[in-house]
Amino acid sequence: MTYCVGLMLNEGMVLLSDTRTNAGLDNISTYRKMFHFEEPGERVIAIMTAGSLSVTQTTIARLREAIEDPEADETQSIMKAPTMLKVAEIVGNMLARVREDIDEKLSAMQGVTASMIVAGQRRGGAMRLFLIYPEGNFIEATEDTPFLQIGEHKYGKPILDRVVKPSTSLADAQKAVLLSMDSTLRSNLSVGMPLDLCVIERDACRVSHTRRIEAGDEQFRAMSEAWSRALRDGFSQINI
Amino acid sequence: MTYCVGLMLNEGMVLLSDTRTNAGLDNISTYRKMFHFEEPGERVIAIMTAGSLSVTQTTIARLREAIEDPEADETQSIMKAPTMLKVAEIVGNMLARVREDIDEKLSAMQGVTASMIVAGQRRGGAMRLFLIYPEGNFIEATEDTPFLQIGEHKYGKPILDRVVKPSTSLADAQKAVLLSMDSTLRSNLSVGMPLDLCVIERDACRVSHTRRIEAGDEQFRAMSEAWSRALRDGFSQINI
């Protein structure tokens, strides 16, 4: 499984993904699920992936090919697309096509599936955050729903529901996604460290900050323990 | 959907279920999902249900019929079965049989499914807590895993993972299941008030305490708000 979450806030966007990939329970590996594409000051796009690795890797590889192909036009390269909506369409179409290709090969078996979160901004445009479904259609984060999740999303949703608003600061947003991930890591073994964190400040049109959090990261461990302590203290102070 | 949770602790057992049943999103009703059977001082059994209402109602009705049938023997009546393990087997067999019957009638459509939690103790025996799967097989709570959940279980699991141990007091256990339910109510509309809470003290062999918590219950609302406040305070005190 996977857990990826993206927040769209007034100050910018915050993305977090895990890296655990498994084919069965006895074949576990680490794969990056967060990808950045940027032309600093002009355009930044981050993509997070969940689902079948063969689908997501091929989709990302083909998106890269189109970016590097000098003949690719604005309907093919996400770095040339005129709007973030078109970017989401290109990613959605590519994901749907790759999934269908692979599905055909596997027709005798259970179908493959994958989904993605696409976040980005181009100069002059608004920040946008999309969730792309396996069929290529997508939804977008709004003021009312400033976060999107893919993969194993339920364990980490209560903390986001309570804390995240568009006015949340980028510092608090990083804390919120890390605590959301922490709850997921505790409850589902198939989501695992290391983690990839990415911050994109509004109108920067570049990746403002990235951080890989390795297993055993002292800061993450301290935060996780402080949160456990806060929950236990809060719990013991409540009367029913 | 449904959310039911049962804890087995040193001091006794604590059970909590919601009551929302829906056939589609525009047909929502309230049905009890927790059922008690007792011969005070001799035997107490509580059953909670999740899944297709036609399956769970029929299963409970047939279990009741067998209890009331003077000719039913110890392989048929859960009030005559010699051990809690046999009780779980009777419930499991009945659930599987009813599910198959109804599945046949609906063969053209998607299959129906249902699961149950069975908790109880008979005089001279140990307290036991079982989760019965749709196929009739079951698992049992242990020291290492002192809680079992059915239905929409993921949102409410993180708090249980952090707080519930066999040594947890019955008062703390009630708080834990109510907060677990509170997180689930916030995140999933198809789980809804009122709630049924039940406490069975160790070796009492009777239902020690039950409570129906209606929508708008002042105490529940206060607890829910105190928990939100504790989470927000805890959140704001953590540094990353």
Side-chain angles (χ1 to χ4, degrees):
Chain A
M1 280 297 284
T2 287
Y3 178 44
C4 300
V5 52
L7 312 189
M8 190 172 69
L9 310 167
N10 300 341
E11 294 180 10
M13 296 193 284
V14 174
L15 310 173
L16 181 68
S17 64
D18 83 315
T19 54
R20 184 158 294 177
T21 302
N22 64 302
L25 273 172
D26 54 350
N27 187 357
I28 291 177
S29 5
T30 298
Y31 280 98
R32 173 172 273 276
K33 298 173 188 173
M34 187 190 289
F35 305 89
H36 307 133
F37 305 87
E38 63 176 346
E39 188 185 338
E42 282 295 323
R43 177 182 305 236
V44 59
I45 298 167
I47 301 181
M48 295 188 289
T49 64
S52 167
L53 187 64
S54 63
V55 174
T56 59
Q57 279 192 334
T58 306
T59 305
I60 296 292
R62 291 209 191 149
L63 291 172
R64 267 196 217 290
E65 267 184 9
I67 290 171
E68 284 158 17
D69 178 0
E71 286 174 17
D73 64 16
E74 63 172 45
T75 67
Q76 296 166 311
S77 163
I78 58 173
M79 294 307 279
K80 291 182 185 155
T83 65
M84 276 303 299
L85 186 70
K86 296 283 183 202
V87 169
E89 283 176 12
I90 293 173
V91 176
N93 291 339
M94 187 63 85
L95 174 62
R97 207 151 59 228
V98 171
R99 197 183 59 80
E100 278 167 19
D101 283 358
I102 295 181
D103 240 3
E104 262 173 37
K105 291 180 197 153
L106 299 179
S107 57
M109 300 169 56
Q110 208 181 343
V112 291
T113 187
S115 53
M116 298 192 172
I117 287 177
V118 175
Q121 187 174 19
R122 62 185 175 84
R123 192 161 58 85
M127 292 189 307
R128 297 180 79 168
L129 180 67
F130 298 93
L131 190 166
I132 320 260
Y133 290 109
E135 293 74 20
N137 56 331
F138 47 82
I139 59 170
E140 185 172 359
T142 63
E143 282 271 311
D144 292 327
T145 307
F147 64 89
L148 296 174
Q149 305 167 290
I150 52 177
E152 185 59 279
H153 62 280
K154 293 187 178 182
Y155 300 115
K157 187 160 181 281
I159 175 74
L160 300 177
D161 279 334
R162 286 174 201 266
V163 166
V164 176
K165 292 190 292 283
S167 58
T168 302
S169 72
L170 291 181
D172 275 358
Q174 290 179 64
K175 202 157 65 169
V177 295
L178 288 170
L179 292 176
S180 173
M181 180 65 81
D182 183 52
S183 291
T184 311
L185 292 171
R186 277 170 187 263
S187 291
N188 189 321
L189 274 188
S190 71
V191 176
M193 308 275 277
L195 312 176
D196 287 310
L197 179 70
C198 166
V199 178
I200 298 171
E201 287 170 23
R202 174 183 291 273
D203 296 335
C205 294
R206 76 183 73 218
V207 172
S208 311
H209 172 63
T210 62
R211 182 175 152 209
R212 170 153 282 207
I213 301 162
E214 299 285 349
D217 182 277
E218 199 47 46
Q219 205 181 354
F220 185 75
R221 199 188 53 73
M223 187 206 69
S224 170
E225 281 174 15
W227 182 235
S228 280
R229 222 162 26 240
L231 288 180
R232 278 196 300 270
D233 291 353
F235 181 82
S236 69
Q237 280 156 28
I238 289 172
N239 300 309
I240 59 161
Chain B
M1 280 298 283
T2 288
Y3 178 46
C4 300
V5 52
L7 312 188
M8 190 172 69
L9 310 167
N10 299 340
E11 295 181 8
M13 295 193 283
V14 174
L15 310 173
L16 181 68
S17 64
D18 83 315
T19 55
R20 184 157 294 177
T21 302
N22 64 302
L25 272 171
D26 56 349
N27 187 356
I28 291 178
S29 4
T30 297
Y31 280 97
R32 174 173 273 275
K33 297 173 190 174
M34 187 190 290
F35 305 90
H36 307 132
F37 305 88
E38 63 177 346
E39 189 186 336
E42 283 295 324
R43 175 181 305 234
V44 60
I45 298 166
I47 300 180
M48 296 189 288
T49 65
S52 166
L53 188 63
S54 63
V55 173
T56 59
Q57 279 192 334
T58 305
T59 304
I60 296 291
R62 290 207 192 151
L63 291 172
R64 267 195 218 290
E65 265 183 12
I67 291 170
E68 285 157 16
D69 179 359
E71 285 173 18
D73 64 17
E74 63 172 43
T75 67
Q76 296 165 312
S77 163
I78 57 173
M79 295 307 279
K80 289 181 186 154
T83 65
M84 276 303 299
L85 186 72
K86 296 282 182 202
V87 169
E89 283 177 12
I90 293 173
V91 175
N93 290 339
M94 186 64 84
L95 174 62
R97 205 149 62 228
V98 171
R99 196 183 59 79
E100 277 168 20
D101 283 0
I102 295 180
D103 240 3
E104 262 174 38
K105 290 180 196 151
L106 299 178
S107 58
M109 299 169 57
Q110 207 182 343
V112 292
T113 187
S115 53
M116 298 193 171
I117 287 177
V118 174
Q121 187 175 20
R122 61 185 176 82
R123 190 159 58 84
M127 292 189 307
R128 297 181 77 169
L129 180 68
F130 298 94
L131 190 167
I132 320 260
Y133 290 109
E135 293 74 19
N137 54 333
F138 47 82
I139 59 169
E140 186 172 359
T142 63
E143 282 272 310
D144 292 327
T145 307
F147 64 87
L148 295 173
Q149 304 167 289
I150 52 177
E152 185 59 278
H153 62 281
K154 292 187 180 181
Y155 300 114
K157 188 160 179 280
I159 174 74
L160 300 178
D161 279 334
R162 285 174 201 266
V163 166
V164 176
K165 292 188 292 285
S167 58
T168 302
S169 71
L170 291 179
D172 275 358
Q174 290 178 66
K175 202 158 66 169
V177 295
L178 288 169
L179 293 175
S180 173
M181 180 66 81
D182 183 51
S183 291
T184 311
L185 293 170
R186 277 170 187 263
S187 291
N188 189 323
L189 274 189
S190 70
V191 176
M193 308 274 277
L195 311 176
D196 287 310
L197 179 71
C198 168
V199 178
I200 299 171
E201 289 170 23
R202 174 183 290 273
D203 296 335
C205 293
R206 76 184 70 219
V207 172
S208 312
H209 172 64
T210 62
R211 184 175 150 209
R212 170 153 283 207
I213 300 162
E214 300 286 347
D217 182 278
E218 200 46 47
Q219 206 180 354
F220 185 75
R221 199 190 51 72
M223 186 205 70
S224 170
E225 282 175 13
W227 181 236
S228 281
R229 220 163 27 240
L231 288 180
R232 278 196 302 269
D233 291 353
F235 181 82
S236 68
Q237 280 157 28
I238 289 174
N239 299 310
I240 59 161

